[in-house]
């Protein structure tokens, strides 16, 4: 099980994986299904161990909003204790979240100086 974007071959080479997926490319669909299955296992394991909310972020997290229902269905099938996936969310910032995060530190310092 490997849940990172490098398992999507077209993404590594050209950044086109999600374009191909949306266009209905069968190879991309197959890779994406496997990715979602692995991610569902990971989410279920994390939930079982930590019993906490899970936010899916990173590069692929920006694309997951469209596919969250598919992921939810896979998670529910794996979790014998819970059929509610409201603990599972996609990230708010779909692109460059780390840049926003670091910028907030400087903005907060600036506002602190004003007060």
């Amino acid at each position: 099980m490997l849940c990172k974007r490098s398992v999507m071959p077209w993404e590594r080479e050209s950044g086109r994986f999600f374009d191909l997926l949306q266009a209905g490319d069968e190879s991309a669909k197959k890779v994406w299904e496997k990715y979602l299955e692995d991610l569902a296992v990971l989410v279920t394991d994390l939930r079982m161990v930590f019993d906490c909310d899970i936010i899916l972020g990173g590069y692929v997290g920006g694309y997951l909003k469209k596919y969250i229902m598919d992921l939810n269905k896979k998670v529910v099938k794996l979790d014998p204790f819970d059929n509610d996936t409201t603990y599972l969310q996609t990230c708010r910032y779909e692109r460059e979240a780390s840049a926003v995060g670091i910028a907030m530190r400087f903005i907060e310092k600036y506002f602190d100086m004003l007060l």
Side-chain angles (χ1 to χ4, degrees):
M1 168 176 51
L2 187 59
C3 293
K4 61 182 192 174
R5 82 176 185 177
S6 64
V7 301
M8 299 167 195
W10 305 276
E11 195 62 28
R12 276 193 314 245
E13 296 162 11
S14 65
R16 296 191 36 213
F17 177 80
F18 288 100
D19 293 337
L20 291 169
L21 182 62
Q22 286 187 332
D25 181 87
E26 289 301 317
S27 297
K29 282 184 188 179
K30 190 175 178 181
V31 170
W32 185 243
E33 276 302 307
K34 174 69 172 133
Y35 184 90
L36 285 181
E37 288 170 12
D38 288 350
L39 185 57
V41 170
L42 180 63
V43 164
T44 304
D45 289 350
L46 286 170
R47 179 68 173 180
M48 295 288 182
V49 172
F50 296 108
D51 191 29
C52 63
D53 289 351
I54 298 170
I55 300 172
L56 302 167
Y59 179 82
V60 177
Y63 292 95
L64 278 171
K65 191 174 287 187
K66 225 178 207 179
Y67 305 97
I68 194 66
M69 294 306 290
D70 297 331
L71 179 59
N72 285 344
K73 289 175 189 172
K74 293 177 184 306
V75 168
V76 165
K77 285 182 184 176
L78 293 173
D79 188 345
F81 304 109
D82 200 355
N83 63 0
D84 175 21
T85 58
T86 55
Y87 63 86
L88 184 58
Q89 307 171 47
T90 58
C91 57
R92 286 188 193 162
Y93 297 103
E94 296 177 7
R95 303 282 181 274
E96 306 301 336
S98 59
V100 172
I102 195 65
M104 288 303 297
R105 295 186 76 191
F106 292 105
I107 292 168
E108 286 173 356
K109 283 183 184 179
Y110 176 75
F111 283 135
D112 288 343
M113 284 182 359
L114 293 176
L115 298 175

